């Protein structure tokens, strides 16, 4: 355990973390929603594929019983590979993974470089053939470059699954009859539940009841893993409740019971989130392929109240210049500051939030600046953004310049 302390010092405290080269989780999930055929995979024992230099292995000593026999005397061992929980392991493994395909085809390099989150791979392609071809070439490249095995393959297409040996499929698919009419089991990847039959994302809400303390309430809110903001309208209600609970004259400690006057409201909210299990969200952003589309636009709406501010992006895709479809892309909500802000200023902050999610979408989905359109119903915020004649307070001026760095007043 690299975080275990002795004399107030742990191994992780003296190890360099290395550069943060882990891919953006939102970006991987956004790209996973682009095309009709989706595939996920996993690198077998990711960290254990990379050796520790011989002169560094003394730092990874541990005690254990020979041959797992508890009756034998403890013996000293050394790890020869990087281990889970070591501070530098993710950077080392991600760097090694990318180096192993450095001489491969450009699309394989792009896939491994952009669409792996440590050991999890997520891919979406316009056709079954393209998906199978890229996955198989990636498997060969990883094996040739570093003896890495890409396995636990899952797809929403039985045709794709049939192209791989059963040992390469996800655990609950190995003995599954792909020719049967039975539904494929729900899969989990990067914290999301994916119903591969309906090709939708679903939510699994933990059943365990957390104590009614600051720590327990925060843990319950954070248990709703939602990187794309599908259920932001729900989670923001929980965050607002927590803020009300903490707005007491004295500081509330982490494990101190909260005021009973909020217990009923909190219980109602906790019971309501279980209804999220009845919701399903299409994995694909739109019913049309982005690669095959003739035109696309991102429309971002922003709004604010005294309690919260939010931004939401929708993707509009045209096929053949006539047919079009609109789908949810990314959303984000934040609790508003408790004091010192007028509604117009909060509306301006919401507009900045819209710019922030636009920058994520542009970078991660390779869209162009001209594809983005922004909307706010605040005439004051629009006045701030379009005004060139007068000087504003620093607070407003900074946010206006942030907005205008990405978009134009029109």
């Amino acid at each position: 355990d690299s975080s275990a302390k002795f004399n107030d010092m742990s191994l992780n405290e003296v190890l360099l973390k290395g550069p943060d080269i882990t891919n953006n989780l939102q970006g991987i999930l956004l790209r996973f929603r682009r095309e009709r055929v989706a595939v996920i995979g996993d690198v077998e024992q990711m960290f254990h594929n990379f050796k520790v230099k011989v002169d560094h292995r003394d730092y990874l000593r541990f005690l254990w019983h020979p041959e797992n026999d508890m009756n034998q005397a403890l013996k000293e061992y050394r790890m020869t590979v990087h281990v889970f929980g070591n501070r530098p392991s993710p950077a080392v493994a991600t760097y090694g993974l990318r180096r192993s395909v450095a001489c491969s085809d450009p699309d394989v390099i792009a896939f491994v470089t952009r669409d792996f989150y440590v050991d999890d791979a997520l891919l979406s392609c316009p056709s079954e053939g393209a998906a199978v071809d890229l996955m198989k070439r990636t498997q060969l490249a990883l094996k040739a470059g570093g003896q890495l095995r890409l396995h636990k393959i899952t797809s929403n297409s039985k045709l794709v699954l049939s192209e791989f040996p059963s040992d390469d499929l996800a655990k609950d698919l190995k003995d599954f009859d792909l020719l049967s009419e039975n539904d494929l089991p729900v899969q989990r990847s990067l914290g999301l539940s994916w119903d591969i039959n309906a090709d939708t994302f679903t939510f699994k809400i933990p059943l365990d009841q957390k104590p009614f303390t600051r720590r327990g309430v925060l843990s319950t809110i954070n248990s709703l893993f939602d990187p794309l903001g599908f259920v932001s309208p729900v989670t923001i209600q929980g965050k607002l409740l927590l803020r009300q609970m903490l707005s007491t004259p004295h500081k509330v400690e982490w494990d101190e019971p909260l005021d009973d006057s909020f217990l009923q409201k909190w219980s109602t909210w906790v019971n309501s989130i279980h209804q999220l299990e009845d919701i399903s969200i299409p994995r694909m952003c739109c019913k049309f392929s982005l690669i095959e589309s003739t035109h696309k636009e991102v429309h971002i709406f922003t709004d604010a109240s005294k309690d919260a501010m939010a931004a939401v992006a929708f993707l509009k895709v045209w096929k053949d210049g006539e047919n079009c479809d609109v789908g949810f892309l990314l959303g984000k909500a934040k609790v508003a500051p408790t004091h010192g802000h007028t509604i117009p200023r909060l509306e301006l902050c919401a507009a900045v939030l819209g710019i922030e999610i636009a920058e994520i979408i542009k970078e991660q989905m390779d869209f162009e600046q001209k594809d983005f359109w922004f909307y706010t119903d605040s005439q004051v915020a629009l006045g701030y953004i379009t005004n060139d004649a007068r000087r504003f307070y620093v607070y407003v001026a900074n946010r206006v310049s942030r907005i205008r760095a990405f978009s134009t007043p029109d």
Side-chain angles (χ1 to χ4, degrees):
D1 178 2
S2 303
S3 296
K5 289 195 173 186
F6 176 73
N7 287 348
D8 290 329
M9 181 69 73
S10 72
L11 177 61
N12 271 344
E13 286 177 49
V14 293
L15 287 174
L16 290 174
K17 186 180 180 182
D20 183 8
I21 52 176
T22 304
N23 284 317
N24 181 295
L25 177 60
Q26 286 178 319
I28 293 173
L29 293 172
L30 285 169
R31 292 189 291 276
F32 186 57
R33 301 186 67 213
R34 285 193 298 197
E35 304 298 331
R36 182 177 63 85
V37 180
V39 189
I40 59 177
D42 175 272
V43 177
E44 185 177 35
Q45 294 190 331
M46 174 83 154
F47 295 162
H48 289 187
N49 284 296
F50 300 100
K51 295 283 186 181
V52 177
K53 288 174 67 175
V54 175
D55 54 332
H56 290 171
R57 292 175 187 174
D58 280 339
Y59 296 105
L60 297 179
R61 289 173 178 266
F62 64 98
L63 299 170
W64 196 243
H65 305 276
E67 299 173 4
N68 286 340
D69 183 354
M70 300 294 179
N71 295 317
Q72 294 196 45
L74 285 169
K75 189 177 178 182
E76 199 172 85
Y77 291 88
R78 299 186 306 173
M79 291 299 297
T80 62
V81 295
H82 288 273
V83 290
F84 187 81
N86 259 30
R87 216 171 156 216
S89 291
V92 169
T94 302
Y95 175 76
L97 182 76
R98 293 175 183 177
R99 277 298 296 270
S100 67
V101 297
C103 300
S104 305
D105 300 332
D107 57 346
V108 171
I109 295 172
F111 175 37
V112 172
T113 303
R114 291 195 80 193
D115 293 316
F116 274 67
Y117 191 80
V118 191
D119 58 345
D120 289 297
L122 280 78
L123 172 70
S124 70
C125 292
S127 68
E128 279 92 351
V132 171
D133 177 56
L134 182 52
M135 284 297 284
K136 288 200 168 185
R137 283 187 290 118
T138 304
Q139 279 185 315
L140 291 172
L142 288 170
K143 186 168 179 58
Q147 290 300 305
L148 301 166
R149 182 184 175 214
L150 182 59
H151 71 149
K152 291 186 180 176
I153 292 167
T154 303
S155 174
N156 60 340
S157 165
K158 288 185 178 181
L159 184 62
V160 169
L161 294 173
S162 67
E163 292 293 322
F164 294 90
S166 61
D167 280 352
D168 281 353
L169 300 182
K171 189 176 179 181
D172 48 3
L173 294 176
K174 287 184 178 180
D175 301 319
F176 190 86
D177 182 4
L178 296 173
L179 298 177
S180 72
E181 296 296 318
N182 296 333
D183 287 346
L184 294 163
V186 172
Q187 300 295 313
R188 280 186 70 79
S189 185
L190 299 184
L192 289 178
S193 295
W194 176 31
D195 183 339
I196 50 182
N197 298 289
D199 201 18
T200 57
F201 291 127
T202 58
F203 292 91
K204 191 73 179 166
I205 309 300
L207 293 173
D208 54 324
Q209 194 80 22
K210 300 285 195 308
F212 187 55
T213 62
R214 181 180 176 185
R215 190 188 307 277
V217 167
L218 192 61
S219 176
T220 301
I221 294 168
N222 291 338
S223 68
L224 284 168
F225 183 69
D226 182 35
L228 296 181
F230 291 133
V231 295
S232 287
V234 177
T235 50
I236 197 71
Q237 298 293 337
K239 290 175 183 177
L240 287 168
L241 262 175
L242 176 60
R243 185 171 75 175
Q244 290 174 30
M245 296 173 194
L246 299 179
S247 61
T248 56
H250 76 282
K251 184 184 176 184
V252 180
E253 299 299 329
W254 281 102
D255 296 305
E256 178 186 342
L258 294 166
D259 191 333
D260 284 344
S261 62
F262 291 104
L263 184 56
Q264 183 58 48
K265 282 185 180 177
W266 176 247
S267 299
T268 302
W269 184 81
V270 170
N271 291 333
S272 76
I273 63 174
H274 289 280
Q275 295 172 34
L276 291 174
E277 294 189 341
D278 300 328
I279 291 174
S280 59
I281 292 157
R283 179 195 56 80
M284 278 188 76
C285 303
C286 298
K287 62 185 179 186
F288 300 134
S289 160
L290 262 67
I291 288 177
E292 297 167 356
S293 65
T294 52
H295 181 63
K296 55 185 179 290
E297 294 174 351
V298 179
H299 295 267
I300 296 178
F301 299 83
T302 68
D303 203 358
S305 71
K306 64 180 178 58
D307 296 318
M309 61 190 82
V312 58
F314 290 92
L315 178 65
K316 190 172 186 180
V317 177
W318 280 263
K319 186 178 182 182
D320 307 323
E322 294 179 4
N323 298 319
C324 74
D325 190 38
V326 178
F328 175 94
L329 200 55
L330 184 62
K332 194 170 183 181
K334 291 170 74 173
V335 173
T338 48
H339 51 79
H341 286 72
T342 60
I343 295 295
R345 281 194 174 190
L346 291 173
E347 293 273 16
L348 190 64
C349 290
V352 172
L353 196 60
I355 293 294
E356 289 173 3
I357 67 172
E359 288 171 341
I360 294 168
I361 294 165
K362 180 176 181 287
E363 179 186 354
Q364 299 298 333
M365 298 192 76
D366 305 317
F367 286 174
E368 296 179 41
Q369 197 97 3
K370 64 179 178 62
D371 297 332
F372 290 85
W373 299 78
F374 297 88
Y375 305 83
T376 173
D377 63 357
S378 169
Q379 290 292 339
V380 178
L382 288 171
Y384 285 148
I385 294 164
T386 56
N387 195 304
D388 290 315
R390 58 169 292 188
R391 294 182 65 184
F392 296 116
Y393 289 110
V394 173
Y395 183 94
V396 172
N398 286 346
R399 280 149 188 80
V400 170
S401 64
R402 176 86 171 81
I403 291 165
R404 291 182 67 158
F406 186 93
S407 66
T408 53
D410 60 338

